[in-house]
Amino acid sequence: MSESGSSETMAATAVSGDGRPPFRYDARLANEIERLWQERWEQDGTFDSPNPKGPLAAGFDQMAGRRKFYALDMFPYPSGAGLHVGHPLGYIGTDVFARYLRMTGHHVVHTFGYDAFGLPAEQYAIDTGQHPRVTTQHNIDNMRRQLRRLGLGHDTRREIATTDLAYYRWTQWIFLKIFNSWADERTGKARPIEALVTEFESGHRATPDCRAWAKLSAIERRRVIDGHRLAYISEELVNWCPCLGTVLANEEVTADGRSDVGNYPVYRRPLRQWMLRITAFAERLIDDLELVDWPESIKQMQRNWIGASDGAHIDLNAADHPEISIEVFTTRPDTLYGATYVVLAPEHPLVDQLVPDAWPEGTPETGDTRRAGRRRRLDAEGRHRRVRAHGRAAQRPAAHRGDRQDWRLHWRVRDQPGHRRADPGLPGRLRAHGLRNRRDHGGSRP
């Protein structure tokens, strides 16, 4: 090649068409390198984890005998906005750890999935008339593309979405297993419901009213059995949104008492809900925390959430309503001699029986009485009706949607003889007034 030709070639390679050196490491070149390597990883199955048998068994002979590790990320909801900065914050850390284990000779399974059920997709389908599966699949494809650009080491062959029929059928299978099981208090483990029926039939376990199992009607037997199932139906206070036609979690309700999706009004209503009897396993959950390799701070948080409260259920009579008894739970029954009132939430079933139509004669007019007299409250059908509070009204704490200006009613408790001073005979008198020993566990959720 002539000297002039060589100079022209060097000049052409030194400067690209847009005036930049072609091999300068900038965002353009970095993206190109990443794209090529990601294609190489996908073609070679670099992050694939083979099974011992079946359609994914290719390459298992190279993994046989290695220590196994299963890395699982929290499944994201595939929204139309795609990934946000909080997603890779956790996914990159998991990916780094999984890569480290692979490099140290472990057989790592690191797959991914999408928690695809959600109100946004349902509401979008209602607004546009488009089936939610179409928009959900489109959002999953977009999020999968973004995850690939991050270069995460997932075995994409094992990817799932919670809307997949092949996955969803197993969630229903698990529910049926829970529904047809009961917690044996003697072992702290779940057993088939048939074993409980056998115990009742044989007389090894007494019925609640001590009648023989054969003496109970079919409906009575069913109620006894349902009272032991791990999954059961109960009437609970929930956040009901009529416009969305569903129950919302607390975090899905704004401070103004409206739905986060659609900004529709939300009401606290007692509705029949499926519940899980997780409190039956509280002690076992606490004990088994010693078996998991978690930071001590996380374990302590779990103990505080699951842990039991030692106390008593006490029946208290309401002033001016001797026929009404209010059951309260306290961890300090020894302090009840100083109690002057009990607080009832607005949705408590006794409120309608205790709230009079007007303030007692002679009650001084204050800002509280004027506001309480004007306060409106929704009944079960959603219509407004006036509620006049008797006694002292207080605003619901901000931690429980304080901006909604709900009211709690404070009621005086009938003084009990001998409860003015602490003395050794107090526990006995408390038992005489209805104290029942009780050990309650927290953690029960609808």
Side-chain angles (χ1 to χ4, degrees), residues 80-99:
L83 294 178
H84 58 71
V85 67
H87 286 124
L89 182 65
Y91 299 154
I92 291 174
T94 310
D95 186 68
V96 169
F97 186 59
R99 288 171 184 262

Side-chain angles (χ1 to χ4, degrees), residues 126-287:
I126 294 173
D127 294 340
T128 63
Q130 188 176 50
H131 196 285
R133 176 172 289 279
V134 176
T135 54
T136 298
Q137 189 58 50
H138 173 76
N139 295 340
I140 288 176
D141 293 340
N142 177 53
M143 190 169 283
R144 184 187 296 115
R145 176 188 60 82
Q146 293 175 311
L147 290 167
R148 186 177 185 275
R149 292 300 304 274
L150 289 173
L152 302 179
H154 296 144
D155 185 351
T156 55
R157 304 173 304 166
R158 302 175 181 270
E159 182 183 276
I160 64 170
T162 55
T163 50
D164 295 341
L165 294 179
Y167 174 87
Y168 186 75
R169 68 182 295 267
W170 289 109
T171 66
Q172 303 305 294
W173 179 85
I174 292 173
F175 177 82
L176 291 176
K177 286 291 184 181
I178 296 173
F179 177 75
N180 291 315
S181 300
W182 63 290
D184 191 338
E185 69 280 0
R186 297 162 297 190
T187 62
K189 297 180 180 181
R191 296 179 60 194
I193 205 72
E194 293 79 10
L196 179 63
V197 174
T198 301
E199 290 191 11
F200 280 125
E201 290 176 340
S202 63
H204 287 88
R205 180 179 292 268
T207 60
D209 59 1
C210 295
R211 285 189 293 164
W213 184 254
K215 299 291 185 179
L216 301 182
S217 65
I219 294 178
E220 290 175 325
R221 294 180 185 180
R222 188 185 66 184
R223 287 174 179 171
V224 171
I225 295 300
D226 289 348
H228 288 78
R229 294 184 187 273
L230 294 182
Y232 62 98
I233 294 179
S234 176
E235 188 172 271
E236 301 289 337
L237 280 170
V238 295
N239 300 315
W240 169 249
C241 182
C243 296
L244 293 176
T246 189
V247 172
L248 302 179
N250 288 337
E251 56 269 21
E252 295 175 311
V253 182
T254 67
D256 297 323
R258 305 183 74 86
S259 63
D260 191 46
V261 175
N263 196 34
Y264 298 116
V266 178
Y267 310 107
R268 292 281 290 173
R269 299 286 175 76
L271 294 178
R272 287 166 59 84
Q273 297 288 303
W274 279 106
M275 306 282 289
L276 297 181
R277 209 179 301 274
I278 62 175
T279 53
F281 298 97
E283 294 294 341
R284 183 180 172 190
L285 287 170
I286 293 176
D287 294 341

